[in-house]
Structures are given as structure tokens and as C-alpha cells.
Amino acid sequence: MLFLPVNVTLEVTNQCNLSCKHCFRHSSSRMNDELSSDEIEAVLDQLLELGTVQIEVSGGEPLLHPNIFGLLEAIVGRGFETTLITNGTKLNREQCSRLRAIGVTNIQVSVDGTENDHDYLRGPGSYRLTVRGLVNLVESGLNTIINMVVTSRSLDSIREAARQAHSLGVRGFALSPFLPAGRGLRYSRELTLSSVGMRTMHKVLAELIATYESKMKIYSNPLGYLNSPLYEEMRNKQVRQCSCGRHLLFIKPNGVLSPCDFDLFSAGNVRELKIEEAWSNAPVFHTFRKFDPRDLKGICATCEMKEPCGGGCRALAVIHCGDFFGENPICPLVSAAREKLGQGTVVSDKHALPGD
């Protein structure tokens, strides 16, 4: 199989104006060794040669980067399909006009439920600032997608959040389950969906697809539960849900190359080697590419879904089981099986850093 970094997430800064409880990184202040604009442009040239098609620009909060518009111009100017991932709190009309003039393809904004849900996770007043940014984006004619991270607290708010998204005029609405990692580890027991909660989320997701089919695109993420009827085609085609290290590449603010969004794996640094060299030779990429679901352990080892599922997120297995081949801690099938056996949840907050 040919492996190409078709989709790249470029984290341009670790700096963020919010301190979200559910952040799976530890975004806060700027790193003292973040890549310069010239270094990022050199990275873009390498990605162009490697066949990258899509670049997601994220952070931290990317709009806090002092040269974010220059970087976006450089990305779009090289012909990449470009998505900006932002919390939306900094989006005024002038910035939205600039984004449209540059030609950014998509803007993904995080809105985690209703105002109470959102502000609990992201801080008081953040919801209204984000909605103001969304209004500016829609009025500017930008293709805007809302992503909602679903927690045990916000599970009952999904339908209302979708209704609000539609009323704002955005073109897409996505649901993602809370991933207990990074700063979110401290709140993992509070926010992680139960087995019933995960099933409920996917049931509501199916309702949303039926309700908004011709009005607003609904994006679904099987992460954590491939058994849902929504993913029958993926199961039939045996499509592995995780593309990390096979078609996905992540570049951290300080130039670290990784197959995964989480800050666990390193394939080297763009300051020390060419991306092509790391992509072809770094052991961690081969670990992901050679992963065989038959090597899964625990409940996942006996699951009939293990081939297309691939055990879900391997990073979460490392974090919560200490084993790359461990159980998927957010899978409802795992949770239900452990409950039946009288075992506790896999999810733990014991790895949270002091003060997070």
C-alpha cells in the first residue's frame, strides 16, 4: 500500500486565549521554540512535493499567531485545500473579510453545546464571543462548520445545539466524543461518555442526519463506536477508521512530526531532517502502518469489529492502558463488557499532570 501524507494538520502555535477543561493538549502559552514563518513556508514546500492535498491550520488558537494571515496566504497560494480550526472568539468582520479574500476553503469553529455547556468547558462569556464570530463568518460567505465535543454533561443538549447551528446559517455540524487526554485527563471521569452515552450520541446523530439532510451537512465521527448503523459501509468495506501515520501527518508548533494529534509520539523534527525522510523511515510511522488488529488485547481482542475498527484510538490506549495494543477506553462495547465482568472503566485521570 502506498502511504502519502495527503492530510496534514499544521499547529502554528501553542498559544491560546482559553484554557478549556477538555483540551486534549495543554494549549496555553506560546512555546519558546515555535517555528518561524520562514520555517513554516519551507515545510509547505516540502509538503507540496510529497503530494499533500489538504492542510488544517490549528493551534492553540491559530488566530493568535502574529503572521497568521501571511501563513494562510502562503498555504492557499500553493494550492492546498485549507481549513482553519479556531475557537471563534477572535473573529471580527475585518478578519473574516481577509479570510474570504485569501480563499480559505473551510472554517471549523468549536461550539460545545448550549451556552451553559460551552462556558463550563471554555470559560464564562466565551460562548457569546464565539457566536459573534460565527455570525461574522456566515455574513462574510465563508464555508463554516461547527464542531461540538460531546461530554456526559452536554449529551442532552445535542439537538438544541444543532438547532442553533442551523439557525446561525452554518453549512455543517459535527459531533465528536470527548477524548480523555491532555488537560482533559483531569476531568476524564466527569466528562467521558458512558457506554449508554456513546450509544445515545450516535442515535441522536442519526436523527440529525435525517432532520437536516437537505439543510445542513451533518458530519459523523465513528471514533469510539464503529458498531453504529451509520457506519455499515465502513464495516462492509473493512475501512480502518484511523489513518494516523498512513495518510495523516501532524506538525507541532515547534516542528515535531507525529502520526497522531496527541502529544505522545515523535518522528523527529523538521529542523533536523526532511519530512520525506521521517515519513519514510521513522519507526513510529511504521508502528502505525504495521498495526494488526489481531494483536489487540483485552476486550478488543475478541471483538468482531476489530478489523475495520482497529481498536479505535491507539493513543488513548497508550494513555489509559499503557499499551499500544490495549483496549479502546471510550468504546461502549468495551465499557459494557467490563461492566458485565464486574470490572471498572478503563478511563482514568491518574495520568493528569499536577495543576492541569
Side-chain angles (χ1 to χ4, degrees):
M1 179 181 291
L2 180 64
F3 300 106
L4 293 173
V6 177
N7 302 305
V8 173
T9 295
L10 179 63
E11 301 170 20
V12 295
T13 184
N14 190 63
Q15 185 178 4
C16 189
N17 58 314
L18 302 179
S19 184
C20 304
K21 290 180 172 69
H22 60 322
C23 181
F24 59 77
R25 300 188 184 97
H26 294 278
S27 297
S28 55
S29 58
R30 182 180 174 86
M31 295 177 175
N32 56 18
D33 60 344
E34 291 185 357
L35 296 176
S36 67
S37 293
D38 288 343
E39 288 176 314
I40 291 175
E41 292 208 36
V43 163
L44 297 177
D45 290 335
Q46 292 184 58
L47 294 176
L48 196 60
E49 293 178 4
L50 283 170
T52 297
V53 175
Q54 300 174 326
I55 293 183
E56 292 185 347
V57 180
S58 70
E61 172 47 56
L63 288 173
L64 294 179
H65 190 285
N67 187 35
I68 184 58
F69 293 103
L71 293 177
L72 289 171
E73 287 176 346
I75 295 168
V76 174
R78 285 168 171 78
F80 296 111
E81 181 179 324
T82 309
T83 297
L84 176 68
I85 301 176
T86 172
N87 61 40
T89 59
K90 297 292 183 180
L91 285 166
N92 57 38
R93 291 181 179 178
E94 179 184 356
Q95 289 178 324
C96 291
S97 295
R98 291 187 69 181
L99 291 172
R100 179 164 184 178
I102 290 170
V104 175
T105 313
N106 302 298
I107 312 290
Q108 179 180 303
V109 180
S110 303
V111 182
D112 298 319
T114 60
E115 184 169 0
N116 287 338
D117 298 323
H118 184 94
D119 283 0
Y120 175 75
L121 294 174
R122 296 180 178 270
S126 59
Y127 178 85
R128 294 189 179 186
L129 291 174
T130 298
V131 169
R132 184 182 66 184
L134 282 165
V135 170
N136 291 333
L137 286 170
V138 172
E139 289 181 350
S140 298
L142 286 155
N143 188 36
T144 306
I145 301 164
I146 285 178
N147 181 69
M148 175 183 175
V149 174
V150 182
T151 71
S152 58
R153 292 176 59 100
S154 64
L155 187 62
D156 295 335
S157 303
I158 296 175
R159 295 179 182 86
E160 175 60 19
R163 188 196 64 78
Q164 292 177 357
H166 180 250
S167 68
L168 285 168
V170 301
R171 297 184 185 179
F173 181 74
L175 294 180
S176 301
F178 165 69
L179 303 179
R183 188 181 297 121
L185 277 172
R186 184 178 180 185
Y187 306 92
S188 59
R189 294 191 185 277
E190 174 190 357
L191 300 178
T192 303
L193 293 171
S194 66
S195 59
V196 174
M198 184 69 78
R199 293 173 189 270
T200 300
M201 185 190 81
H202 286 281
K203 180 181 178 181
V204 175
L205 186 56
E207 292 178 16
L208 297 183
I209 292 173
T211 301
Y212 296 101
E213 184 176 10
S214 61
K215 307 169 187 176
M216 178 175 68
K217 174 71 174 177
I218 303 296
Y219 295 90
S220 56
N221 182 346
L223 186 63
Y225 188 39
L226 193 65
N227 204 34
S228 168
L230 292 171
Y231 311 114
E232 182 177 1
E233 183 177 354
M234 288 184 68
R235 293 195 300 272
N236 291 340
K237 291 183 177 180
Q238 297 287 293
V239 176
R240 190 77 54 78
Q241 58 172 309
C242 177
S243 295
C244 290
R246 295 185 297 146
H247 305 296
L248 295 179
L249 169 66
F250 296 83
I251 304 176
K252 304 300 177 178
N254 58 355
V256 169
L257 297 163
S258 175
C260 176
D261 217 354
F262 295 94
D263 296 331
L264 290 176
F265 310 103
S266 174
N269 194 297
V270 298
R271 290 188 172 115
E272 301 166 354
L273 75 172
K274 294 291 186 182
I275 298 175
E276 182 180 13
E277 180 183 348
W279 181 258
S280 300
N281 302 320
V284 70
F285 284 126
H286 291 292
T287 297
F288 275 84
R289 292 167 193 164
K290 293 178 180 179
F291 170 73
D292 189 335
R294 290 175 294 183
D295 294 327
L296 287 166
K297 300 176 182 179
I299 304 298
C300 289
T302 59
C303 181
E304 63 180 11
M305 295 291 170
K306 66 182 179 183
E307 281 295 333
C309 173
C313 178
R314 295 296 82 210
L316 289 178
V318 171
I319 292 170
H320 294 277
C321 302
D323 189 337
F324 188 79
F325 299 98
E327 297 170 343
N328 176 7
I330 65 170
C331 175
L333 301 180
V334 170
S335 300
R338 290 179 69 89
E339 290 167 6
K340 188 175 182 179
L341 294 170
Q343 300 174 350
T345 176
V346 182
V347 173
S348 170
D349 55 9
K350 64 181 180 181
H351 301 291
L353 297 177
D356 286 348

XYZ file of all heavy atoms in Angstrom, residues 107-189:
637
model
N -13.828 26.949 7.456
C -13.547 27.407 8.816
C -14.296 26.483 9.762
O -15.522 26.344 9.660
C -14.019 28.856 9.071
C -13.563 29.782 7.939
C -13.520 29.335 10.426
C -12.094 30.048 7.878
N -13.562 25.838 10.659
C -14.200 24.991 11.664
C -14.145 25.688 13.008
O -13.076 26.063 13.478
C -13.515 23.631 11.760
C -14.134 22.722 12.819
C -13.449 21.377 12.896
O -13.363 20.648 11.915
N -12.944 21.033 14.073
N -15.311 25.870 13.610
C -15.414 26.594 14.879
C -15.944 25.652 15.956
O -16.886 24.892 15.726
C -16.343 27.818 14.745
C -16.450 28.567 16.070
C -15.835 28.749 13.646
N -15.350 25.723 17.117
C -15.758 24.861 18.227
C -16.884 25.495 19.030
O -16.728 26.587 19.579
C -14.562 24.606 19.154
O -13.488 24.038 18.441
N -18.031 24.817 19.068
C -19.155 25.224 19.912
C -19.641 23.968 20.628
O -20.196 23.071 20.002
C -20.316 25.853 19.114
C -21.423 26.305 20.066
C -19.823 27.029 18.284
N -19.421 23.904 21.914
C -19.641 22.657 22.640
C -20.987 22.614 23.356
O -21.062 22.492 24.584
C -18.495 22.425 23.616
C -17.167 22.294 22.882
O -17.147 21.632 21.824
O -16.165 22.860 23.343
N -22.059 22.735 22.559
C -23.402 22.633 23.117
C -24.051 23.985 23.321
O -23.756 24.954 22.617
N -24.925 24.059 24.310
C -25.603 25.314 24.629
C -24.647 26.241 25.367
O -23.514 25.868 25.687
C -26.831 25.031 25.508
O -26.396 24.402 26.723
C -27.821 24.120 24.796
N -25.120 27.457 25.653
C -24.259 28.437 26.306
C -23.703 27.919 27.635
O -22.508 28.076 27.925
C -25.031 29.743 26.528
C -24.178 30.857 27.125
C -24.866 32.211 27.109
O -26.022 32.277 26.628
O -24.258 33.201 27.572
N -24.530 27.296 28.451
C -24.064 26.777 29.736
C -23.018 25.684 29.562
O -22.001 25.653 30.271
C -25.239 26.251 30.563
C -26.098 27.366 31.124
O -25.656 28.500 31.260
N -27.350 27.044 31.451
N -23.274 24.775 28.629
C -22.329 23.687 28.368
C -20.989 24.245 27.896
O -19.916 23.860 28.391
C -22.867 22.742 27.281
C -24.163 22.069 27.677
O -24.309 21.730 28.864
O -25.033 21.885 26.798
N -21.070 25.131 26.934
C -19.871 25.702 26.316
C -19.046 26.489 27.336
O -17.830 26.291 27.452
C -20.296 26.604 25.154
C -19.154 27.169 24.368
N -18.673 26.568 23.224
C -18.401 28.289 24.546
C -17.678 27.285 22.731
N -17.494 28.337 23.518
N -19.702 27.363 28.061
C -18.977 28.204 29.017
C -18.408 27.401 30.175
O -17.388 27.782 30.762
C -19.888 29.309 29.553
C -20.073 30.450 28.556
O -19.488 30.365 27.451
O -20.797 31.409 28.861
N -19.042 26.293 30.532
C -18.489 25.448 31.590
C -17.128 24.896 31.166
O -16.181 24.829 31.964
C -19.428 24.279 31.911
C -18.833 23.319 32.910
C -18.765 23.644 34.270
C -18.297 22.103 32.497
C -18.176 22.777 35.185
C -17.709 21.229 33.403
C -17.657 21.577 34.751
O -17.066 20.722 35.651
N -17.019 24.507 29.893
C -15.778 23.928 29.392
C -14.742 24.983 29.028
O -13.545 24.790 29.255
C -16.063 23.067 28.157
C -16.893 21.797 28.368
C -17.200 21.148 27.027
C -16.170 20.815 29.274
N -15.189 26.111 28.475
C -14.256 27.059 27.864
C -14.111 28.383 28.619
O -13.236 29.174 28.301
C -14.673 27.328 26.416
C -14.585 26.079 25.548
C -14.982 26.327 24.110
N -14.836 25.111 23.315
C -13.726 24.761 22.655
N -12.684 25.569 22.674
N -13.678 23.636 21.978
N -14.969 28.605 29.597
C -14.853 29.830 30.385
C -16.032 30.762 30.181
O -16.589 30.845 29.079
N -16.435 31.489 31.235
C -17.588 32.395 31.171
C -17.445 33.422 30.053
O -16.394 34.029 29.876
C -17.569 33.068 32.551
C -16.853 32.109 33.441
C -15.810 31.473 32.576
N -18.517 33.602 29.298
C -18.543 34.607 28.235
C -17.997 34.139 26.908
O -18.157 34.837 25.883
N -17.363 32.964 26.880
C -16.745 32.505 25.625
C -17.794 32.157 24.573
O -17.570 32.364 23.372
C -15.835 31.303 25.890
O -16.549 30.231 26.476
N -18.945 31.665 25.000
C -19.988 31.271 24.036
C -20.447 32.469 23.221
O -20.540 32.398 21.986
C -21.175 30.655 24.785
C -22.328 30.250 23.894
C -22.344 29.015 23.257
C -23.421 31.107 23.693
C -23.404 28.639 22.432
C -24.484 30.735 22.878
C -24.462 29.501 22.248
O -25.514 29.134 21.441
N -20.720 33.576 23.874
C -21.224 34.752 23.154
C -20.181 35.303 22.199
O -20.513 35.766 21.095
C -21.679 35.810 24.152
C -22.882 35.364 24.975
C -23.466 36.482 25.802
N -24.625 36.005 26.558
C -25.415 36.778 27.291
N -25.155 38.095 27.372
N -26.443 36.267 27.939
N -18.914 35.257 22.602
C -17.851 35.712 21.703
C -17.762 34.806 20.474
O -17.585 35.281 19.345
C -16.514 35.715 22.442
C -16.328 36.756 23.542
C -15.007 36.531 24.270
C -16.383 38.169 22.962
N -17.907 33.506 20.693
C -17.847 32.558 19.577
C -19.024 32.729 18.631
O -18.856 32.710 17.405
C -17.796 31.113 20.118
O -16.610 30.948 20.892
C -17.815 30.110 18.978
N -20.219 32.909 19.189
C -21.404 33.111 18.338
C -21.261 34.388 17.519
O -21.613 34.421 16.333
C -22.686 33.138 19.197
C -23.880 33.613 18.364
C -22.968 31.756 19.768
N -20.720 35.428 18.124
C -20.477 36.674 17.381
C -19.527 36.410 16.208
O -19.739 36.898 15.089
C -19.877 37.730 18.304
C -19.677 39.093 17.640
C -19.037 40.078 18.603
N -17.677 39.686 18.944
C -16.914 40.319 19.832
N -17.408 41.358 20.499
N -15.691 39.907 20.077
N -18.493 35.600 16.459
C -17.568 35.247 15.384
C -18.240 34.445 14.286
O -17.981 34.645 13.098
N -19.126 33.535 14.692
C -19.861 32.733 13.714
C -20.747 33.596 12.827
O -20.834 33.381 11.613
C -20.705 31.682 14.438
C -19.961 30.446 14.948
C -20.809 29.691 15.949
C -19.572 29.541 13.785
N -21.410 34.554 13.430
C -22.260 35.469 12.658
C -21.415 36.206 11.619
O -21.806 36.340 10.446
C -22.973 36.471 13.593
C -23.656 37.573 12.781
C -23.983 35.752 14.475
N -20.227 36.666 12.023
C -19.347 37.371 11.102
C -18.889 36.467 9.956
O -18.799 36.888 8.803
C -18.127 37.917 11.852
C -18.488 39.045 12.814
O -19.474 39.758 12.598
N -17.707 39.197 13.867
N -18.600 35.201 10.277
C -18.177 34.248 9.249
C -19.284 34.011 8.232
O -19.047 34.046 7.013
C -17.790 32.917 9.902
C -16.468 32.853 10.649
C -16.374 31.552 11.439
C -15.291 32.960 9.682
N -20.488 33.752 8.718
C -21.612 33.459 7.827
C -21.937 34.663 6.959
O -22.183 34.536 5.750
C -22.843 33.019 8.649
C -24.065 32.894 7.751
C -22.569 31.680 9.348
N -21.933 35.849 7.557
C -22.223 37.064 6.796
C -21.163 37.333 5.734
O -21.449 37.965 4.714
C -22.345 38.258 7.740
C -23.608 38.228 8.599
C -23.728 39.442 9.510
O -22.736 40.204 9.614
O -24.807 39.630 10.105
N -19.939 36.825 5.978
C -18.857 37.017 5.007
C -18.899 35.976 3.901
O -18.094 36.036 2.965
C -17.497 36.962 5.719
O -17.379 38.008 6.664
N -19.812 34.999 4.020
C -19.963 33.995 2.984
C -18.951 32.864 3.046
O -18.767 32.130 2.070
N -18.297 32.693 4.211
C -17.305 31.634 4.350
C -17.969 30.299 4.680
O -18.977 30.258 5.390
C -16.305 32.000 5.450
C -15.306 33.093 5.046
C -14.785 33.830 6.273
C -14.149 32.501 4.257
N -17.408 29.226 4.143
C -17.928 27.886 4.410
C -17.586 27.506 5.849
O -16.437 27.206 6.172
C -17.319 26.882 3.428
C -17.967 25.514 3.531
O -19.165 25.403 3.764
N -17.175 24.477 3.365
N -18.588 27.519 6.707
C -18.364 27.389 8.144
C -18.982 26.113 8.700
O -20.128 25.777 8.405
C -18.962 28.606 8.891
O -18.417 29.807 8.322
C -18.644 28.559 10.367
N -18.199 25.412 9.514
C -18.632 24.173 10.142
C -18.472 24.310 11.646
O -17.445 24.796 12.132
C -17.791 22.979 9.645
C -17.910 22.837 8.130
C -18.194 21.683 10.348
C -16.838 21.957 7.526
N -19.477 23.891 12.392
C -19.390 23.856 13.852
C -19.034 22.441 14.287
O -19.604 21.464 13.795
C -20.720 24.279 14.507
C -20.893 25.795 14.394
C -20.790 23.841 15.966
C -22.210 26.303 14.967
N -18.067 22.336 15.184
C -17.756 21.042 15.784
C -18.112 21.089 17.268
O -17.671 21.978 17.989
C -16.283 20.685 15.628
C -15.974 19.320 16.224
O -16.397 18.294 15.697
N -15.262 19.299 17.331
N -18.919 20.142 17.701
C -19.313 20.031 19.105
C -18.649 18.817 19.729
O -18.816 17.696 19.253
C -20.832 19.905 19.236
C -21.299 19.677 20.661
S -23.110 19.444 20.760
C -23.280 19.046 22.516
N -17.868 19.043 20.779
C -17.330 17.942 21.564
C -18.399 17.534 22.574
O -18.826 18.345 23.392
C -16.028 18.346 22.280
C -15.564 17.222 23.209
C -14.942 18.672 21.269
N -18.830 16.295 22.489
C -19.920 15.815 23.335
C -19.355 15.194 24.608
O -18.519 14.282 24.554
C -20.788 14.787 22.593
C -21.950 14.337 23.472
C -21.315 15.368 21.289
N -19.812 15.693 25.747
C -19.418 15.151 27.045
C -20.652 14.596 27.748
O -21.783 14.761 27.274
C -18.798 16.245 27.935
O -19.834 17.150 28.355
C -17.726 17.023 27.185
N -20.443 13.981 28.883
C -21.580 13.461 29.652
C -22.485 14.590 30.117
O -23.681 14.389 30.333
C -21.073 12.662 30.856
O -20.243 13.467 31.679
N -21.938 15.801 30.248
C -22.732 16.957 30.668
C -23.578 17.523 29.538
O -24.643 18.095 29.784
C -21.809 18.067 31.204
C -21.100 17.767 32.507
C -20.166 18.907 32.861
N -20.895 20.158 32.992
C -21.266 20.702 34.153
N -20.989 20.087 35.288
N -21.896 21.850 34.180
N -23.102 17.395 28.306
C -23.777 18.047 27.181
C -24.572 17.090 26.306
O -25.148 17.503 25.299
C -22.749 18.782 26.316
O -21.837 17.868 25.731
N -24.625 15.817 26.676
C -25.288 14.806 25.855
C -26.733 15.178 25.526
O -27.196 15.002 24.397
C -25.244 13.460 26.580
C -25.752 12.236 25.819
C -24.914 11.992 24.572
C -25.728 11.013 26.738
N -27.444 15.721 26.512
C -28.856 16.073 26.304
C -29.042 17.371 25.523
O -30.176 17.762 25.233
C -29.567 16.194 27.656
C -29.643 14.866 28.398
O -29.601 13.825 27.728
O -29.721 14.867 29.641
N -27.942 18.041 25.191
C -28.021 19.344 24.513
C -27.733 19.254 23.020
O -27.728 20.279 22.330
C -27.037 20.332 25.157
O -27.279 20.475 26.541
N -27.467 18.056 22.519
C -27.057 17.920 21.115
C -28.106 18.470 20.161
O -27.794 19.240 19.247
C -26.757 16.453 20.775
C -25.576 15.943 21.586
C -26.459 16.315 19.278
C -25.291 14.460 21.392
N -29.364 18.089 20.354
C -30.419 18.532 19.430
C -30.552 20.050 19.441
O -30.702 20.677 18.385
C -31.747 17.879 19.805
C -31.777 16.355 19.645
C -33.124 15.794 20.050
N -33.186 14.339 19.968
C -32.800 13.514 20.949
N -32.329 14.035 22.086
N -32.886 12.210 20.800
N -30.497 20.653 20.627
C -30.607 22.115 20.717
C -29.397 22.782 20.072
O -29.522 23.810 19.400
C -30.732 22.538 22.174
C -30.741 24.044 22.423
C -31.890 24.764 21.732
O -32.891 24.106 21.355
O -31.790 25.992 21.560
N -28.213 22.210 20.263
C -27.014 22.767 19.653
C -27.109 22.713 18.128
O -26.712 23.664 17.435
C -25.780 22.009 20.134
N -27.654 21.627 17.600
C -27.828 21.507 16.144
C -28.840 22.524 15.637
O -28.649 23.129 14.569
C -28.270 20.095 15.781
N -29.909 22.704 16.407
C -30.922 23.685 16.014
C -30.310 25.080 15.964
O -30.555 25.857 15.030
C -32.096 23.662 16.996
C -33.290 24.518 16.566
C -34.246 24.773 17.703
N -33.628 25.568 18.767
C -33.449 26.897 18.688
N -33.818 27.560 17.596
N -32.889 27.540 19.686
N -29.517 25.426 16.966
C -28.864 26.731 16.999
C -27.881 26.890 15.842
O -27.782 27.965 15.242
C -28.159 26.921 18.341
C -29.110 27.044 19.528
C -28.384 27.156 20.854
O -27.162 27.088 20.914
N -29.130 27.323 21.929
N -27.154 25.810 15.529
C -26.208 25.855 14.408
C -26.939 26.140 13.104
O -26.502 26.971 12.291
C -25.451 24.531 14.318
N -28.065 25.478 12.913
C -28.861 25.693 11.698
C -29.396 27.118 11.637
O -29.399 27.751 10.566
C -30.010 24.688 11.642
C -30.863 24.836 10.425
N -32.155 25.319 10.475
C -30.599 24.591 9.115
C -32.643 25.357 9.248
N -31.736 24.919 8.414
N -29.837 27.633 12.770
C -30.389 28.997 12.800
C -29.319 30.041 12.502
O -29.618 31.112 11.978
C -31.033 29.279 14.161
O -30.059 29.345 15.186
N -28.061 29.713 12.812
C -26.965 30.636 12.527
C -26.597 30.631 11.042
O -25.934 31.548 10.556
C -25.726 30.269 13.350
C -25.769 30.637 14.840
C -24.627 29.949 15.587
C -25.684 32.146 15.025
N -26.995 29.590 10.336
C -26.732 29.528 8.903
C -25.425 28.866 8.523
O -24.953 29.022 7.389
N -24.828 28.099 9.450
C -23.589 27.405 9.092
C -23.904 26.257 8.141
O -25.040 25.783 8.068
C -22.861 26.874 10.347
C -22.528 28.014 11.290
C -23.672 25.805 11.058
N -22.899 25.792 7.429
C -23.123 24.770 6.405
C -22.921 23.352 6.919
O -23.278 22.394 6.242
C -22.199 25.029 5.218
C -22.485 26.361 4.552
C -21.628 26.584 3.317
N -21.832 27.910 2.751
C -21.198 28.380 1.693
N -20.309 27.606 1.081
N -21.419 29.593 1.249
N -22.306 23.223 8.104
C -22.062 21.889 8.617
C -22.052 21.851 10.136
O -21.777 22.859 10.800
N -22.380 20.688 10.672
C -22.409 20.472 12.120
C -21.821 19.094 12.394
O -22.280 18.096 11.834
C -23.841 20.565 12.643
C -23.978 20.385 14.136
C -23.591 21.396 15.005
C -24.510 19.211 14.667
C -23.721 21.239 16.377
C -24.655 19.053 16.041
C -24.257 20.073 16.900
N -20.789 19.048 13.223
C -20.094 17.791 13.500
C -20.132 17.472 14.985
O -20.108 18.373 15.826
C -18.647 17.871 13.023
N -20.172 16.184 15.279
C -20.113 15.713 16.661
C -18.854 14.881 16.860
O -18.522 14.028 16.032
C -21.331 14.849 17.006
C -22.705 15.520 17.020
C -23.768 14.488 17.395
C -22.747 16.681 17.990
N -18.173 15.135 17.966
C -17.009 14.336 18.341
C -17.116 13.999 19.816
O -17.424 14.877 20.625
C -15.704 15.113 18.099
O -15.574 15.494 16.747
N -16.869 12.751 20.191
C -16.910 12.427 21.618
C -15.710 13.027 22.343
O -14.632 13.186 21.759
C -16.847 10.893 21.622
C -16.106 10.548 20.364
C -16.526 11.580 19.356
N -15.897 13.370 23.591
C -14.796 13.844 24.430
C -13.704 12.785 24.496
O -13.981 11.606 24.707
C -15.313 14.152 25.839
C -14.227 14.304 26.869
C -13.374 15.397 26.840
C -14.066 13.352 27.868
C -12.364 15.534 27.791
C -13.070 13.476 28.826
C -12.216 14.582 28.793
N -12.466 13.218 24.290
C -11.323 12.309 24.341
C -10.507 12.619 25.593
O -9.944 13.715 25.705
C -10.456 12.473 23.091
C -11.169 12.272 21.753
C -10.201 12.486 20.598
C -11.803 10.889 21.667
N -10.461 11.709 26.543
C -9.769 11.972 27.814
C -8.258 11.943 27.661
O -7.604 10.913 27.792
C -10.274 10.839 28.717
C -10.627 9.731 27.775
C -11.119 10.389 26.520
N -7.700 13.104 27.368
C -6.256 13.242 27.166
C -5.867 14.677 27.468
O -6.724 15.564 27.584
C -5.879 12.867 25.738
N -4.573 14.946 27.559
C -4.101 16.301 27.807
C -4.668 16.882 29.081
O -4.749 16.217 30.124
N -5.089 18.142 29.003
C -5.717 18.774 30.165
C -7.015 18.063 30.535
O -7.443 18.055 31.692
C -5.977 20.259 29.879
C -6.463 21.045 31.105
C -6.732 22.516 30.781
N -5.523 23.191 30.379
C -5.347 23.790 29.198
N -6.326 23.775 28.297
N -4.217 24.383 28.908
N -7.661 17.461 29.538
C -8.913 16.765 29.775
C -8.794 15.580 30.713
O -9.805 15.115 31.259
N -7.569 15.074 30.935
C -7.408 13.945 31.847
C -7.905 14.269 33.252
O -8.439 13.403 33.949
C -5.929 13.527 31.909
C -5.434 12.609 30.798
C -3.935 12.451 30.871
C -6.121 11.262 30.875
N -7.718 15.504 33.649
C -8.138 15.893 34.996
C -9.656 15.761 35.159
O -10.156 15.576 36.274
C -7.699 17.330 35.281
C -8.008 17.797 36.696
C -7.514 19.205 36.924
N -7.807 19.644 38.283
C -7.575 20.869 38.736
N -7.038 21.775 37.941
N -7.870 21.192 39.973
N -10.392 15.857 34.054
C -11.853 15.832 34.093
C -12.420 14.573 33.427
O -13.601 14.525 33.101
C -12.409 17.079 33.389
C -11.854 18.369 33.935
C -10.722 18.960 33.368
C -12.441 18.988 35.035
C -10.201 20.140 33.880
C -11.925 20.177 35.550
C -10.797 20.737 34.971
O -10.277 21.905 35.481
N -11.564 13.570 33.234
C -11.977 12.411 32.452
C -13.151 11.661 33.065
O -14.080 11.256 32.361
C -10.797 11.463 32.233
O -10.261 11.021 33.471
N -13.158 11.475 34.367
C -14.260 10.740 34.988
C -15.567 11.528 34.913
O -16.643 10.951 34.840
C -13.915 10.406 36.435
C -12.744 9.437 36.578
C -12.610 8.939 38.000
N -11.438 8.114 38.162
C -11.358 6.820 37.862
N -12.416 6.215 37.339
N -10.243 6.137 38.055
